[in-house]
Amino acid sequence: MKKTILSLTFLLCSFTGFAQIKYDTLSVQQIGDGMYHYTIEAPSVPWTFDVVEVDLTRPDTKLETVKAQDTFGGYERTSSMAQRKSYEGHQVIAAVNGDFYGGGNPTNAQVIKGEIIKKPISRDVFGYTKGKKVFINPTTYTGKLSQDGNEYDITGVNQSRTADALVYYNHYYGASTGTNEFGTELILTALDEWVVNGVVKAVVKEKTTSGDAALSDSTFVLSGHGTSKTILDGFEAGDTVVVHHQLMPGFDDIKEVVGGRGKFLNDGNNEGDWPERHPRTAVGFNADSTKLYLLTVDGRQSTSAGMTLTEMGEFMKRFGVQNALNLDGGGSTTMVVHNQVVNDPSDGSGERAVANALMVVSLKQKTGVLEHLKLDPTFKKLYRGNTFTFTARGSDENYYPVELDPQKLSFSLSENFTATIDSEGNFTAGDAPDTGYVYVDYEGMKDTAMVIVKGITEFSLFPKYAATDSSYEFSFFNESFDFDGQKRGVSNTDISWQVGSEEVGEVIDGTFIGKTEGTTPVIGTYDGISDTVEVEVQIGGGIETVSGFEDLEGWSLSGENLDLQNSELTVVDSTFTEGSHSVRLDYEFVYDNDPNIWAYLETDIPVFGVPDSINLDARSDGKRHLIELELADNNDELYTVRVKKWAENTQFDIYPALTSDITPVDPFSSFYYPITIKKIGIKLASDQQSGERYSGAIFLDNLEVVYPNRTVVSNEKTGDSEVPNDVSLNQNYPNPFNPTTNISFRIPNASQVDLDVYDVLGRKVASLVDRRLSAGNHTVSFDAGTLSSGLYLYRLSTSEVSISRKMMLIK
């Protein structure tokens, strides 16, 4: 227990600082003599690691590699290989997946118990010798067959025999060599223990010229063709020969080799060259080669992002690792401890079958007598209200697992810890930040785990500033983080809200509702942390002209695929809708197989309040152009809103852009008022004839914002104090409309009133009022169900005045 607590404390202290990332050692489990399994996480990234530390000096500890299915082309899960290679007096304590592979064959060299099964390529290998020396470096192969001072080159290992080749085969290749009859094959038995970079004596059991010699786990074959056949023809059954496989550079008496890709730690220097984050598997060792480390980091999932080789190198250096090799990663990444997969493989189907594995083996015996009790994990952090299941594990004196009787386990919590735990170890955190302990008791044996229940330490409200009116409601959002920097979802309904001026507005479950014009702070509080934002209620009414296009001040021309040298904006007085001028756009372009030809009138016009639409008067040259506005919201995020009809009328027409149709340029934007008009975009039409030059002119006038009509009107005569002083005609609402709208007006005296509707050619299409009305406010409903979409004028006439306004019907 003391060793575990000391290791945990050391890791919690030392694993803070790499790029300001906080690491938590969740568990330190002794899994064998001089062997420890660490579970570590960095929630802020996030990363989840499993690390096995092995003391290579222990006499009953060794390393081995294993080939899937013990054969070329075989696939097998790492956990299956570990279980298959465990037997009495030879227990696989831990294992990780090995080399990259194709067709079930490892990419690089592999040596198993001194038997070479594949030659190396130019990549690095991890090697382990009979004397427990370890190394990581690229190697090259040479093979020799010798007898009585004569030496011959072995040219291949477990591969197809080619012309004049001398190939070494063992049982990993398959049931037989697969060779033809045009050669000679010696079937041999090794007299010495197999090693690479050492000599092995062998005796010839049989010589055959029929080809396809059988392979077994007690024999090997040397197969020769051409000149090599002639060499082997000189041997006879009963001859003693020497076989010498060499992987250089490397130590003598190599027993195990497994390949990888990328020695990313080289004598303490971080040489990682794989910049993408992926699940990773690695093997490494310390400066004096007495400690070995196996590492997996999960990836491609919300709980762990995977690592670059540089990041993995920095992490492993904190264990004192000086040299490390990247093994196969991605969906292959797997770590097994005592026949259990302890990491979280990224493949959707779970653990992946791979080509080979690297194993840590103990030669100690199992006793089956319980000596150690351990809670897993040793340390846990949970967000408030979350659940987790603690597991009690038993082991014998050699740290082999011992099964526990669940009925004899008793879980409890430290005093005043506001959490719960049941008889099966299911822990539920309380609703407030807290720290406490979980206890487990098993027939008098005890262990303890520390638990931190996390709350929010950073809380920010958004938007920081927004505008609204008395009918448009919007919701706040928040970004909240715990003390590990993990983002937490906090519901608006769980936040305490306070509005500085309740006359201006109120907040209900995070939604602001405006009442009267004014500005107010809004304060949100969660877990005792507050943040303040500002809301301005701006109530607009009727129609406001934001640009009469009487001049070009505040406007500039740009474009996409537009000939800007031959395109220009000018102010003209020959045609207009209001005022005395309009702006003329003369455009020119050559069509080059790209239909996106845009003219942009750039500006920067802030808009008050929450309009229904933004209207533009335009006169086309008869081509079917499109008009689109670009807007910026309160946070300068960009949005577009397109007019839903062609700009093709050769007379001035109204082109409305409805704010309900606003679309974000970045789909992850959050829209809030107030808005700013940034540009008017005109997508220019053409016949789309490649190489053809097109030109034309478009007139623009009277850029307006239209607000909802919030005036409550009645046909009843008002009191004397409410009698209007003059005749007025309000903008219809809604506008644009389909197919009905309301038109309101007021008259100061009882009089004859005519209210008529005209189309753009001046033809009367409807008579809404033709009678004497009393003084006061009046509203008339207009149903345009029989009319076509377009611009219409409505005119109010009394004995004193005549007033006209425009409205837009969109179907």
Side-chain angles (χ1 to χ4, degrees):
M1 182 67 185
K2 183 178 294 184
K3 162 70 178 177
T4 299
I5 292 175
L6 288 174
S7 298
L8 175 64
T9 304
F10 165 74
L11 286 169
L12 284 173
C13 294
S14 65
F15 279 95
T16 54
F18 166 42
Q20 303 303 312
I21 296 171
K22 293 172 61 178
Y23 294 84
D24 293 325
T25 304
L26 304 184
S27 179
V28 183
Q29 301 276 1
Q30 187 162 1
I31 56 175
D33 184 21
M35 305 179 205
Y36 295 89
H37 171 217
Y38 301 90
T39 304
I40 301 168
E41 68 176 21
S44 62
V45 181
W47 284 324
T48 302
F49 308 91
D50 286 278
V51 181
V52 167
E53 176 186 284
V54 182
D55 185 348
L56 292 177
T57 66
R58 301 299 173 101
D60 293 319
T61 299
K62 60 188 294 191
L63 302 180
E64 292 183 5
T65 67
V66 57
K67 178 69 186 72
Q69 305 294 343
D70 289 336
T71 185
F72 259 46
Y75 287 99
E76 190 176 1
R77 293 178 175 178
T78 303
S79 58
S80 172
M81 287 185 270
Q83 188 170 19
R84 184 164 57 82
K85 294 299 181 180
S86 290
Y87 47 86
E88 189 65 31
H90 184 278
Q91 296 294 324
V92 177
I93 305 301
V96 292
N97 64 291
D99 195 5
F100 298 77
Y101 55 89
N105 294 322
T107 300
N108 207 341
Q110 186 172 2
V111 175
I112 300 176
K113 294 182 179 179
E115 286 191 84
I116 187 166
I117 67 171
K118 192 173 188 297
K119 289 167 61 176
I121 59 175
S122 57
R123 293 179 179 177
D124 297 287
V125 299
F126 169 78
Y128 173 78
T129 73
K130 186 175 181 179
K132 296 191 174 185
K133 294 181 179 180
V134 288
F135 65 90
I136 297 172
N137 50 250
T139 59
T140 58
Y141 171 82
T142 57
K144 298 292 182 181
L145 168 66
S146 60
Q147 183 191 46
D148 299 332
N150 297 313
E151 193 172 74
Y152 311 101
D153 290 333
I154 298 173
T155 57
V157 173
N158 285 335
Q159 63 192 59
S160 296
R161 189 185 67 193
T162 57
D164 296 323
L166 177 57
V167 181
Y168 166 90
Y169 293 98
N170 57 30
H171 67 95
Y172 291 100
Y173 187 71
S176 63
T177 62
T179 56
N180 58 33
E181 68 274 21
F182 303 112
T184 297
E185 294 184 325
L186 304 181
I187 302 172
L188 305 99
T189 298
L191 301 176
D192 298 325
E193 177 184 333
W194 277 108
V195 291
V196 172
N197 290 359
V199 296
V200 176
K201 290 181 181 179
V203 61
V204 179
K205 293 182 61 179
E206 181 183 348
K207 182 171 73 172
T208 177
T209 58
S210 58
D212 197 24
L215 297 169
S216 72
D217 57 4
S218 62
T219 63
F220 66 98
V221 171
L222 290 172
S223 179
H225 176 275
T227 56
S228 294
K229 167 182 166 55
T230 303
I231 293 170
L232 296 186
D233 285 340
F235 292 88
E236 299 296 335
D239 286 353
T240 299
V241 300
V242 173
V243 176
H244 188 186
H245 296 296
Q246 282 190 306
L247 292 177
M248 298 301 293
F251 298 118
D252 291 341
D253 297 334
I254 295 174
K255 297 294 289 183
E256 308 289 336
V257 166
V258 66
R261 184 256 190 240
K263 184 180 182 181
F264 58 93
L265 284 182
N266 188 9
D267 293 333
N269 297 315
N270 193 337
E271 298 176 356
D273 62 350
W274 205 326
E276 299 87 9
R277 281 180 169 173
H278 293 292
R280 302 276 184 192
T281 305
V283 58
F285 50 87
N286 64 353
D288 62 7
S289 301
T290 58
K291 293 285 182 69
L292 178 90
Y293 294 89
L294 303 178
L295 165 74
T296 61
V297 56
D298 293 333
R300 302 173 184 169
Q301 46 199 304
S302 60
T303 55
S304 190
M307 274 186 149
T308 69
L309 282 191
T310 303
E311 290 170 335
M312 190 158 61
E314 291 303 311
F315 178 78
M316 292 188 75
K317 283 168 67 175
R318 294 180 174 277
F319 280 91
V321 176
Q322 289 288 294
N323 294 277
L325 176 65
N326 177 55
L327 302 175
D328 189 17
S332 299
T333 290
T334 306
M335 178 178 285
V336 175
V337 175
H338 286 307
N339 293 326
Q340 298 294 318
V341 177
V342 295
N343 74 312
D344 190 5
S346 63
D347 269 11
S349 58
E351 183 187 357
R352 177 185 290 180
V354 294
N356 58 10
L358 175 62
M359 307 183 300
V360 181
V361 175
S362 173
L363 305 181
K364 286 183 174 289
Q365 301 289 325
K366 289 183 176 181
T367 69
V369 178
L370 181 65
E371 289 288 338
H372 309 285
L373 178 69
K374 197 75 177 67
L375 258 182
D376 185 19
T378 311
F379 172 75
K380 185 65 180 176
K381 292 194 290 189
L382 293 91
Y383 186 63
R384 64 186 205 174
N386 285 1
T387 61
F388 182 80
T389 299
F390 284 88
T391 303
R393 304 187 188 278
S395 58
D396 66 13
E397 64 179 356
N398 293 321
Y399 298 95
Y400 294 124
V402 174
E403 187 174 352
L404 301 176
D405 182 354
Q407 302 300 318
K408 296 179 181 180
L409 286 169
S410 176
F411 293 93
S412 59
L413 300 175
S414 57
E415 189 176 358
N416 298 322
F417 190 14
T418 55
T420 60
I421 194 166
D422 65 16
S423 60
E424 297 179 345
N426 298 312
F427 176 91
T428 302
D431 290 331
D434 201 357
T435 300
Y437 295 89
V438 172
Y439 304 127
V440 66
D441 184 288
Y442 188 85
E443 296 184 322
M445 298 182 71
K446 303 178 188 294
D447 196 28
T448 305
M450 180 181 180
V451 181
I452 295 177
V453 177
K454 301 188 290 185
I456 293 298
T457 57
E458 295 181 37
F459 174 72
S460 299
L461 282 180
F462 299 95
K464 292 303 181 185
Y465 167 77
T468 186
D469 63 7
S470 57
S471 63
Y472 178 81
E473 300 175 0
F474 71 88
S475 296
F476 297 100
F477 70 95
N478 68 84
E479 289 186 351
S480 303
F481 299 88
D482 63 24
F483 63 69
D484 284 317
Q486 281 187 289
K487 192 172 184 177
R488 297 292 179 177
V490 174
S491 171
N492 277 344
T493 59
D494 294 330
I495 297 172
S496 175
W497 299 96
Q498 181 181 356
V499 179
S501 175
E502 295 181 356
E503 294 80 13
V504 173
E506 63 179 335
V507 176
I508 299 177
D509 291 338
T511 298
F512 186 89
I513 303 169
K515 296 178 180 178
T516 61
E517 285 196 331
T519 302
T520 181
V522 174
I523 304 168
T525 304
Y526 186 81
D527 264 4
I529 305 173
S530 298
D531 194 24
T532 302
V533 296
E534 184 178 81
V535 179
E536 184 174 359
V537 177
Q538 302 173 342
I539 302 177
I543 299 178
E544 179 183 345
T545 300
V546 295
S547 177
F549 288 104
E550 295 297 306
D551 53 48
L552 288 175
E553 184 177 355
W555 294 95
S556 61
L557 178 64
S558 66
E560 180 180 351
N561 298 318
L562 181 69
D563 184 352
L564 287 172
Q565 289 187 341
N566 293 301
S567 301
E568 64 175 342
L569 294 178
T570 56
V571 176
V572 297
D573 58 8
S574 56
T575 182
F576 50 85
T577 57
E578 293 188 12
S580 57
H581 297 84
S582 66
V583 166
R584 174 176 171 141
L585 166 64
D586 287 287
Y587 66 86
E588 190 169 328
F589 63 91
V590 175
Y591 186 76
D592 189 23
N593 296 317
D594 186 346
N596 292 305
I597 301 102
W598 287 86
Y600 298 120
L601 281 73
E602 300 196 33
T603 188
D604 193 33
I605 301 175
V607 176
F608 178 83
V610 182
D612 280 346
S613 65
I614 302 172
N615 295 349
L616 176 68
D617 291 349
R619 174 183 161 186
S620 173
D621 51 12
K623 296 175 183 147
R624 304 187 82 188
H625 308 296
L626 276 176
I627 298 176
E628 183 176 271
L629 301 183
E630 184 176 274
L631 312 173
D633 73 349
N634 68 322
N635 198 36
D636 290 330
E637 293 177 318
L638 296 179
Y639 298 79
T640 60
V641 55
R642 180 166 289 187
V643 174
K644 291 187 174 179
K645 69 172 185 174
W646 298 107
E648 59 182 346
N649 198 332
T650 56
Q651 301 297 319
F652 266 110
D653 201 351
I654 296 178
Y655 294 91
L658 306 181
T659 54
S660 59
D661 294 333
I662 287 174
T663 302
V665 173
D666 180 346
F668 297 102
S669 299
S670 297
F671 177 77
Y672 291 93
Y673 287 99
I675 58 176
T676 300
I677 301 173
K678 304 299 290 185
K679 64 175 66 169
I680 298 171
I682 303 174
K683 188 177 183 182
L684 299 168
S686 72
D687 296 330
Q688 298 188 359
Q689 297 298 314
S690 181
E692 189 74 18
R693 181 171 291 274
Y694 295 91
S695 61
I698 300 170
F699 297 87
L700 305 175
D701 200 3
N702 198 33
L703 183 62
E704 301 173 329
V705 291
V706 181
Y707 298 95
N709 184 358
R710 298 181 179 83
T711 305
V712 178
V713 295
S714 171
N715 285 332
E716 297 296 322
K717 183 176 180 179
T718 61
D720 291 342
S721 63
E722 297 173 334
V723 173
N725 296 321
D726 53 15
V727 177
S728 66
L729 177 63
N730 295 327
Q731 183 65 46
N732 65 303
Y733 180 79
N735 185 46
F737 66 98
N738 178 25
T740 60
T741 187
N742 293 319
I743 300 172
S744 59
F745 57 91
R746 64 183 181 181
I747 54 176
N749 304 299
S751 63
Q752 172 67 28
V753 174
D754 294 300
L755 180 60
D756 301 310
V757 180
Y758 300 86
D759 64 16
V760 292
L761 299 178
R763 297 174 297 192
K764 184 190 292 188
V765 296
S767 178
L768 305 182
V769 178
D770 181 10
R771 60 190 173 93
R772 184 176 177 83
L773 296 179
S774 58
N777 297 322
H778 301 268
T779 297
V780 176
S781 179
F782 172 43
D783 187 341
T786 62
L787 300 178
S788 302
S789 296
L791 175 67
Y792 293 89
L793 301 178
Y794 57 99
R795 179 179 299 154
L796 176 70
S797 300
T798 70
S799 58
E800 299 176 351
V801 296
S802 179
I803 305 173
S804 297
R805 285 190 177 276
K806 295 176 290 186
M807 59 183 173
M808 174 59 67
L809 172 62
I810 297 179
K811 292 186 175 181

